């Protein structure tokens, strides 16, 4: 039986038109690398003007299996193109053979969400992070916990394609921006530091800023001076540190265990 959600004729010119659109938009759009990034972007309301697949039917079958809520949307978006053509448009073709472009959310909208009074979930602050993959993993965690957003300070672009890949497209599920320390939203700032108070004795407020230092040098002097509280995670002696995403996950879990606002 024909399934109208996943089937539909593709005109001879559809691939050519889609590739033209890709080349026109690629420099300014967000690259969604793979099926899962596209799935999450669509699920959380991203504007996706072009989506390509090496095997459209297989991509839609994967959606039917893993994300039936977006099958109809993907059926209207995905255009099949030859493998070698798609490989020429992306830095590295994802194993799912899917890639798409999305419009970046308006900075003003993100800043409004981050600065909203009486926030009901925390903002994660990454102070001068260095590793793109770690930043993506943190954004994925923040989205999962329903955090208001993720803010980075320093030079790393939180919308870099590698960060978006690491975040599996979940940038669209939370507010992601880069700000200077003196531009951080208001709210009590809890900074993770080995010299801080044991987190197990604290209740983190829902409107907290949860700040984490860089993988190499920890908190900057500027952010440390801005902090209202220094907080430490439990750690066995002689173990030097946790991975950044692990630290964020532990802290958000602690917050969620004591909050009625957690998912």
């Amino acid at each position: 039986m024909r399934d109208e959600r996943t089937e539909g004729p593709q005109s001879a010119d559809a691939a050519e038109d889609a590739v033209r659109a890709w080349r026109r938009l690629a420099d300014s759009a967000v690259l969604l690398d793979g099926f899962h990034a596209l799935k999450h972007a669509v699920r959380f309301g991203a504007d996706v003007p072009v989506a390509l697949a090496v095997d459209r039917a297989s991509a839609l079958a994967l959606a039917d299996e893993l994300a039936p809520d977006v099958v109809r949307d993907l059926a209207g978006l995905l255009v099949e193109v030859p493998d070698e053509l798609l490989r020429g448009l992306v830095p590295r073709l994802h194993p799912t053979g899917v890639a798409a472009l999305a419009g970046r959310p308006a900075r003003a909208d993100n800043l409004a969400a981050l600065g909203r009074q009486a926030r009901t979930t925390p903002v994660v602050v990454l102070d001068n992070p260095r590793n793109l993959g770690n930043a993506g993993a943190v954004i994925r965690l923040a989205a999962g916990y329903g955090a208001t957003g993720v803010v980075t300070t320093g030079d790393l672009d939180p919308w870099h394609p590698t960060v978006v890949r690491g975040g599996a497209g979940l940038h669209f599920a939370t507010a992601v921006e880069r700000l200077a320390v003196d531009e951080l939203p208001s709210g009590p700032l809890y900074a993770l530091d080995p010299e801080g108070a044991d987190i197990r004795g604290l209740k983190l407020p829902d409107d907290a800023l949860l700040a984490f230092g860089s993988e190499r040098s920890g908190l900057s002097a500027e952010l440390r001076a801005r902090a209202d509280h220094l907080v430490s995670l439990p750690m066995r002696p002689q173990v030097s540190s946790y991975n950044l995403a692990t630290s964020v996950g532990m802290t958000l879990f602690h917050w969620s265990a004591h909050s009625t606002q957690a998912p």
Side-chain angles (χ1 to χ4, degrees):
M1 179 180 293
R2 178 185 173 90
D3 186 345
E4 294 183 352
R5 295 177 306 164
T6 61
E7 293 188 22
Q10 177 173 308
S11 72
D13 296 331
E16 184 177 340
D17 291 344
V19 170
R20 262 200 307 268
W22 184 287
R23 289 175 171 149
R24 184 178 71 252
L25 299 169
D27 289 342
S28 59
V30 177
L31 173 63
L32 300 174
D33 194 13
F35 169 80
H36 298 289
L38 175 59
K39 168 194 73 179
H40 284 136
V42 168
R43 186 174 280 165
F44 289 100
D47 173 24
V48 181
V50 57
L52 307 178
V54 169
D55 186 334
R56 182 176 180 274
S58 293
L60 292 173
L62 186 62
D64 203 37
E65 177 185 357
L66 301 179
D69 57 306
V70 298
V71 169
R72 189 178 298 276
D73 290 325
L74 295 186
L77 286 171
L78 284 169
V79 175
E80 186 166 301
V81 296
D83 178 279
E84 64 275 12
L85 180 53
L86 187 50
R87 287 182 186 276
L89 296 175
V90 296
R92 176 176 48 143
L93 183 61
H94 192 273
T96 56
V98 172
L101 296 177
R104 179 168 169 169
R107 180 174 171 85
D109 292 342
N110 279 342
L111 294 178
L114 293 167
R116 188 171 57 244
Q117 296 299 309
R119 290 187 306 269
T120 57
T121 58
V123 172
V124 175
V125 179
L126 302 183
D127 186 28
N128 197 29
R130 312 310 303 165
N131 185 283
L132 296 166
N134 279 345
V138 167
I139 290 165
R140 191 169 185 173
L141 276 166
Y145 277 100
T148 295
V150 176
V151 170
T152 64
T153 70
D155 298 331
L156 183 143
D157 176 9
W159 285 86
H160 186 282
T162 302
V163 183
V164 177
R165 185 184 182 106
L170 284 163
H171 285 59
F172 297 93
T174 189
V176 178
E177 286 295 337
R178 177 168 52 179
L179 299 172
V181 171
D182 62 5
E183 296 174 324
L184 292 176
S186 61
L189 196 155
Y190 289 73
L192 276 288
D193 186 271
E195 299 177 2
D198 192 318
I199 196 172
R200 291 172 292 186
L202 300 173
K203 182 179 185 297
L204 301 175
D206 293 332
D207 64 344
L209 306 179
L210 305 177
F212 302 82
S214 74
E215 297 89 340
R216 291 186 179 180
S217 55
L219 295 169
S220 66
E222 188 179 8
L223 192 138
R224 184 185 288 270
R226 163 77 169 76
D228 299 297
H229 308 275
L230 295 181
V231 180
S232 65
L233 295 169
M235 187 182 300
R236 179 182 178 181
Q238 298 183 315
V239 175
S240 58
S241 65
Y242 293 122
N243 172 271
L244 176 60
T246 299
S247 297
V248 174
M250 292 171 69
T251 304
L252 286 173
F253 180 82
H254 180 80
W255 162 74
S256 71
H258 299 89
S259 173
T260 60
Q261 304 298 323

